[in-house]
Amino acid sequence: MASRVSLKVKGKSSKGSKEEEKSTAQLVKEWTTWAAKKAKVITHYGFIPLVIIIGMNSDPKPHLSQLLSPV
């Protein structure tokens, strides 16, 4: 008894693509939501290293220990 494998793509309908029915406003909304999520992650993980890099390149040239100390 050989089993028969059925290849089905999830989320796709055989009648037509839903992508064609999306309005421009919906696509813009999805894109801005995606971009805002990515910007939030980049800001979250990149802010402290950016401050350290800017501090290291400042005029008095502090050591890393001086930059990270709270005093």
Side-chain angles (χ1 to χ4, degrees):
M1 289 184 17
S3 64
R4 190 171 145 179
V5 178
S6 174
L7 297 176
K8 292 183 181 178
V9 179
K10 292 183 179 179
K12 298 283 183 176
S13 64
S14 60
K15 294 180 183 177
S17 177
K18 292 272 186 180
E19 293 289 326
E20 297 171 353
E21 297 175 9
K22 286 187 178 180
S23 67
T24 304
Q26 181 67 22
L27 291 174
V28 169
K29 182 180 177 183
E30 288 177 6
W31 185 85
T32 53
T33 303
W34 177 85
K37 286 181 182 179
K38 297 297 179 187
K40 182 179 177 182
V41 171
I42 290 168
T43 304
H44 180 80
Y45 289 108
F47 182 72
I48 299 294
L50 178 67
V51 169
I52 292 172
I53 289 170
I54 291 173
M56 292 294 283
N57 292 330
S58 64
D59 195 23
K61 296 288 184 196
H63 294 284
L64 186 61
S65 61
Q66 291 174 332
L67 251 176
L68 297 176
S69 70
V71 179

